[in-house]
Amino acid sequence: MRWFQEKVSAARRHARGAGRSVRRAWKEPGRERDVAFQAAKAALAAGVAWAVVGWWLQAPMAFMAPWVAIVLVESTVYRSIAHGLQQLAAIATGTVVATACAMVLDSTLVAMALVLPVAVLLGNWRRLGSQGIYAATAALFVLTSGPVGVGAAGARIAEAVFGAVVGIAVNALIRPPLYLRDTRAALDNAAREAQDLLGDVADGLARGRPDADEATGWHDRALRLDRLVDEARSAVGWTRESLRANPRRRRPGVAVPEQHYDDVLTVLDDVAVHAAGVTRTILEVCARDDDPRWPGREITGPYADFLHRTAHALHWCTSARVTPDEDPDPPLQEATEVLRHTLDDLRRRLPDAVPDDPDGLATYGTLLNQARRLADRLEHSGRR
């Protein structure tokens, strides 16, 4: 009974989640609405292909056209074209090989035993990519349905070509997918988390030595920041692919400052590396209550100030690149200049703070080098 109640509860949660997705798709632009449009476009492509090939022309293997059309309404126009070419090559290969064997052999079972292994091997050819499986599928259709002959093979291939043309055309001409919004959101999420993390660590260092739980929380957030940067990088890749062969690229307001996005990713990469190094060092020291290596306020104070300045400069750097309408270059240049002065002050204080502790000097020297690289990156970004 408990198992049944858990299943019912899980089903209700899924239903509520689906309901929220439907409401979001109806009320506002977003990922849910994009998915709904793609589903409607796939159904439209299949309907158009069937109406022409099956209803109007009454082709003998009319199912090939809507089948190909519906699977080629892909997540990007470029992917529709690339997968369309690969799929047609796979279907043509499987159809030709199966037709040739079936015309020579009298037994369908023997033909399948000979053709399908070859078709599956051909499907693993790297140039066919993920569409290679359609070679074996097409061969199976030839051997198990309809008459076998040169005319039938030509009809199958022609119908597949027509379906591919319909699927690609529908995807390219009717609201072609574009991922600018998702990319900006991903970059903004990573940048905001980086700023919040740097600010929280700076506040904690200014208060004094944190406890192990607080240090663990900071380090976990630093590791999560690295994952957010990876997600943002993936989103940038999707945006670039979605703009290839996309008619919407020519419309005003959709041009992507690709180099600027690369700049933001590079800065966020350096911030993630620096945050992970800082929080790991803090965690290692705080994990042992008797560890004497915790630096005094002559180090933690300027370092906290450096982290605050870094978060401020990062705000201007990312807002300039993620939101092209803004032009915060002068504030960014001012922020990086202040950051550089803060880093110089920290560099002057470090040797005197740990004169008799080689291990401490090596540890904080490494953090100082990372801080200098991060400041250089932000300064370079401010000049672009």
Side-chain angles (χ1 to χ4, degrees), residues 179-201:
Y179 296 95
L180 287 176
R181 180 176 56 250
D182 296 342
T183 298
R184 289 168 181 161
L187 288 170
D188 187 63
N189 287 340
R192 287 181 183 275
E193 176 61 21
Q195 295 167 41
D196 292 343
L197 175 59
L198 293 177
D200 290 345
V201 174

Side-chain angles (χ1 to χ4, degrees), residues 166-243:
V166 171
I168 294 170
V170 168
N171 202 30
L173 300 178
I174 301 178
R175 200 178 182 273
L178 200 62
Y179 296 95
L180 287 176
R181 180 176 56 250
D182 296 342
T183 298
R184 289 168 181 161
L187 288 170
D188 187 63
N189 287 340
R192 287 181 183 275
E193 176 61 21
Q195 295 167 41
D196 292 343
L197 175 59
L198 293 177
D200 290 345
V201 174
D203 292 340
L205 292 178
R207 290 193 301 268
R209 180 169 180 161
D211 56 33
D213 291 339
E214 188 175 21
T216 300
W218 290 343
H219 189 56
D220 290 341
R221 289 176 61 186
L223 298 179
R224 179 176 178 271
L225 174 61
D226 187 64
R227 293 192 294 271
L228 290 177
V229 175
D230 287 340
E231 291 174 5
R233 182 177 292 103
S234 176
V236 170
W238 273 105
T239 293
R240 287 177 173 166
E241 183 178 306
S242 72
L243 286 169

Side-chain angles (χ1 to χ4, degrees), residues 136-170:
T137 305
L140 193 61
F141 283 159
V142 169
L143 297 174
T144 58
S145 62
V148 177
V150 175
R156 291 177 188 273
I157 296 174
E159 290 154 13
V161 170
F162 181 78
V165 170
V166 171
I168 294 170
V170 168

Side-chain angles (χ1 to χ4, degrees), residues 143-343:
L143 297 174
T144 58
S145 62
V148 177
V150 175
R156 291 177 188 273
I157 296 174
E159 290 154 13
V161 170
F162 181 78
V165 170
V166 171
I168 294 170
V170 168
N171 202 30
L173 300 178
I174 301 178
R175 200 178 182 273
L178 200 62
Y179 296 95
L180 287 176
R181 180 176 56 250
D182 296 342
T183 298
R184 289 168 181 161
L187 288 170
D188 187 63
N189 287 340
R192 287 181 183 275
E193 176 61 21
Q195 295 167 41
D196 292 343
L197 175 59
L198 293 177
D200 290 345
V201 174
D203 292 340
L205 292 178
R207 290 193 301 268
R209 180 169 180 161
D211 56 33
D213 291 339
E214 188 175 21
T216 300
W218 290 343
H219 189 56
D220 290 341
R221 289 176 61 186
L223 298 179
R224 179 176 178 271
L225 174 61
D226 187 64
R227 293 192 294 271
L228 290 177
V229 175
D230 287 340
E231 291 174 5
R233 182 177 292 103
S234 176
V236 170
W238 273 105
T239 293
R240 287 177 173 166
E241 183 178 306
S242 72
L243 286 169
R244 299 176 69 177
N246 193 327
R248 290 174 70 185
R249 180 174 187 145
R250 304 184 186 90
R251 298 180 184 176
V254 298
V256 179
E258 294 185 353
Q259 185 58 49
H260 290 170
Y261 282 9
D262 286 339
D263 290 343
V264 173
L265 285 173
T266 302
V267 170
L268 289 175
D269 262 333
D270 286 340
V271 171
V273 170
H274 185 70
V278 171
T279 56
R280 184 184 299 110
T281 300
I282 295 173
L283 179 60
E284 289 174 351
V285 176
C286 292
R288 294 182 55 190
D289 295 335
D290 58 343
D291 197 321
R293 290 183 299 163
W294 184 256
R297 290 190 177 275
E298 65 274 13
I299 291 296
T300 58
Y303 205 92
D305 191 28
F306 169 77
L307 293 179
H308 274 303
R309 301 295 183 184
T310 300
H312 183 64
L314 180 62
H315 164 73
W316 288 115
C317 174
T318 55
S319 63
R321 276 49 177 174
V322 176
T323 307
D325 295 337
E326 298 185 11
D327 185 22
D329 281 343
L332 174 58
Q333 294 172 2
E334 294 173 5
T336 55
E337 289 177 3
V338 174
L339 179 65
R340 178 63 66 182
H341 292 318
T342 305
L343 182 61

Side-chain angles (χ1 to χ4, degrees), residues 49 53 61-69 72 84-85 87-89 91-92 95 153-169:
V53 177
M61 292 85 174
F63 70 91
M64 291 290 293
W67 173 47
V68 173
L72 286 184
L85 294 174
Q87 188 176 136
L88 289 177
I91 290 174
T95 300
R156 291 177 188 273
I157 296 174
E159 290 154 13
V161 170
F162 181 78
V165 170
V166 171
I168 294 170

